[in-house]
């Protein structure tokens, strides 16, 4: 029988400084010594997963809110369900009609449309600012770029409600987290 524990990273396994505490490492090691596989799960991209996990023998991680599963020992992607560029363009075209910051997670990097990027810190003061991709739509179209996930940050709660009420896409489910995203 396969035994595993899937554990959330941010706010659960990681401390408030996004570090993996020694007590958590020891708990993981104790479980693995008993034959239980530890599988970290995160909304982060693979680059955002602490290296310390590899060092203690954790093999698999689920990243980008489930869009990717990676064997970090063999550095091999085992599952990927990313947004293709056509679907991505459809979402961008819709949300560019609102006062938002758009960003995508592509191969572990965060890329943002230049529009309103200077206001990112107003919404997410404790987050790393995504790289300025210039015209994100043009970049996606030109490179036929896919993405693991997309972020849409609203400046106005009423506008967010209006946008989400009318957001209907053929291949994409739009979900809203707390706050302005």
């Amino acid at each position: 029988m396969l035994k595993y524990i899937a554990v959330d990273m941010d706010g659960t396994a990681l401390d408030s400084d996004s570090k993996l505490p020694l007590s958590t490492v020891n708990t993981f090691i104790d479980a693995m010594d008993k034959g239980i596989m530890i599988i970290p799960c995160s909304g982060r991209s693979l680059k955002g997963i602490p290296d310390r996990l590899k060092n203690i023998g954790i093999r698999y991680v689920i990243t980008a809110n489930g869009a990717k599963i990676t064997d970090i020992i063999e550095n091999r992607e085992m599952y990927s369900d990313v947004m293709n560029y056509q679907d991505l363009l459809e979402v961008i075209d819709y949300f560019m009609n609102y006062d938002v910051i758009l960003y995508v997670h592509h191969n572990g990097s965060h890329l943002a449309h230049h529009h309103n990027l200077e206001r990112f810190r107003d919404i997410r003061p404790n987050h790393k600012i995504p790289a300025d991709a210039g015209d994100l739509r043009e970049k996606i179209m030109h490179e036929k770029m896919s993405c693991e996930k997309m972020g849409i940050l609203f400046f106005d709660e009423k506008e967010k409600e209006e946008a989400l009420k009318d957001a209907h896409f053929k291949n994409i489910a739009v979900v809203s987290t707390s706050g302005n995203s």
Side-chain angles (χ1 to χ4, degrees):
M1 174 179 7
L2 179 65
K3 295 179 183 178
Y4 65 90
I5 297 171
V7 61
D8 177 52
M9 298 304 295
D10 290 305
T12 306
L14 301 180
D15 64 20
S16 59
D17 294 322
S18 294
K19 304 285 187 229
L20 190 63
L22 183 58
S23 60
T24 302
V25 170
N26 290 336
T27 301
F28 287 175
I29 291 170
D30 288 346
M32 291 187 299
D33 287 347
K34 294 175 182 162
I36 300 169
M37 197 180 330
I38 301 296
I39 304 173
C41 304
S42 181
R44 296 172 179 227
S45 65
L46 186 59
K47 288 181 181 177
I49 300 297
D51 288 333
R52 193 173 200 184
L53 293 175
K54 278 192 228 177
N55 301 337
I56 63 171
I58 287 179
R59 178 166 211 120
Y60 305 107
V61 295
I62 300 172
T63 56
N65 295 329
K68 292 199 174 207
I69 301 174
T70 306
D71 179 330
I72 59 174
I73 302 290
E74 294 183 16
N75 196 27
R76 180 172 54 97
E77 190 175 277
M78 303 191 57
Y79 171 82
S80 177
D81 186 14
V82 298
M83 291 174 63
N84 66 50
Y85 82 97
Q86 295 101 330
D87 291 339
L88 197 50
L89 291 174
E90 180 184 2
V91 173
I92 287 173
D93 288 345
Y94 176 79
F95 284 105
M96 284 305 293
N97 293 310
Y98 296 93
D99 187 22
V100 297
I101 295 173
L102 295 168
Y103 64 96
V104 297
H105 296 247
H106 173 70
N107 290 335
S109 296
H110 299 69
L111 305 171
H113 187 77
H114 61 83
H115 177 74
N116 282 334
L117 187 57
E118 70 281 354
R119 295 170 62 197
F120 186 85
R121 282 273 181 246
D122 297 340
I123 296 177
R124 295 279 172 95
N126 299 321
H127 286 72
K128 181 181 172 189
I129 296 176
D132 186 343
D135 187 328
L136 185 59
R137 186 186 195 293
E138 287 299 314
K139 182 174 183 64
I140 290 166
M141 194 166 60
H142 177 73
E143 296 179 17
K144 296 187 177 8
M145 193 169 83
S146 63
C147 79
E148 293 101 35
K149 66 179 186 174
M150 176 179 203
I152 305 162
L153 302 177
F154 287 84
F155 293 99
D156 180 84
E157 185 65 31
K158 286 195 185 303
E159 189 174 56
K160 173 185 165 184
E161 289 173 17
E162 175 189 319
L164 294 177
K165 179 179 60 116
D166 296 331
H168 303 287
F169 305 102
K170 187 171 81 174
N171 297 318
I172 297 170
V174 178
V175 296
S176 176
T177 59
S178 62
N180 50 14
S181 61

